[in-house]
Amino acid sequence: MVVGNITLQDKVAVVTGGGSGINLCFVRLALQAGARVLIADLKLLPEAEQLVAENKGRAFFMKCDVSNWRDLENIPSSVSQAFGKDAVADIWIPGAGVFEPKWSSFLYDTETDHYKAFQINTEHPIKLTRIAMRSCLSVNKPCVVLITASTAGLVGTYGAPLYCASKHAIVGFTKSLGQADVDENCKIVCICPGIVATPLWTGDDAKHVASQFSYNESMAVTPEEVAEAMMEMVTSGVWEGGSMMEITKATGRRKLDSIRAEERIRDSGLNADAVEKFMDGMQRPIREVWAKERGSANAAK
């Protein structure tokens, strides 16, 4: 029971950070493919406003601070308000992110309670994945969650340690949930772009970052290229749960290794019975929770 190949025709997609950059490009592709889209963001760029206006009834905007869990929890009800009371999103794109801004960075360390960049880059996609699974399991429908990670989630960078840590966490999270595709028809994958020509590098608030990393357009992939790669990951069964794609100017698209502890346990040399006992004990509590959530919305009617 895996999601496999799908189309976006008549599907509903939720895209955080869809008001600009890579995610706006994905919104445009999703609409062209026949999907209905809820954009969850703080604001829309003028081109995003125009796209929503041109797709009245199929594209909606919800003001959302992804660092606020109450806003994230309101997304399913916003989907219902936009597309009908029984509507549940099929495709979930936790795309909003920041690149170690001065107001939330390890170096400048101006915050007093938490690193908001970590809430945006790490907690938000993890929480939205949980909301997506709960929503779709409750009505017994498949779902795809595509998280925007980064090549910074694969290597360390002295100049942006908080950003690297936030993206490493997402890479580990994606690997860990590969089994959900097999067990629950919930496919969680992530894309790891290198430098992309978006406001994170080109905007007025990013001038210090562009200068620090000697940014120039020749080293960047376009947001359109990343959005097209995201569309491939969402729709193609080749990209099974737990998959990760790297996309950079130098390498183009390539599939990354996604080794999980379960695979190492199976290759550990333990006898088959011991392996199965261990695996069953480790995964049974997870499957019990999913079983309780599956069909809960229909059971409540």
Side-chain angles (χ1 to χ4, degrees), residues 214-229:
S214 302
Y215 169 83
N216 67 73
E217 203 168 289
S218 66
M219 64 175 65
V221 292
T222 68
E224 290 80 9
E225 288 172 319
V226 179
E228 288 169 359

Side-chain angles (χ1 to χ4, degrees), residues 13 26 37 58 76 85 89 117 140 181 185 202 211 233 244 255 300:
F26 181 85
V37 184
R58 297 181 53 237
K85 67 182 183 67
N140 286 310
D181 192 9
N185 232 8
T202 61
S211 174
M233 291 196 82
M244 302 183 298
K255 196 170 189 177

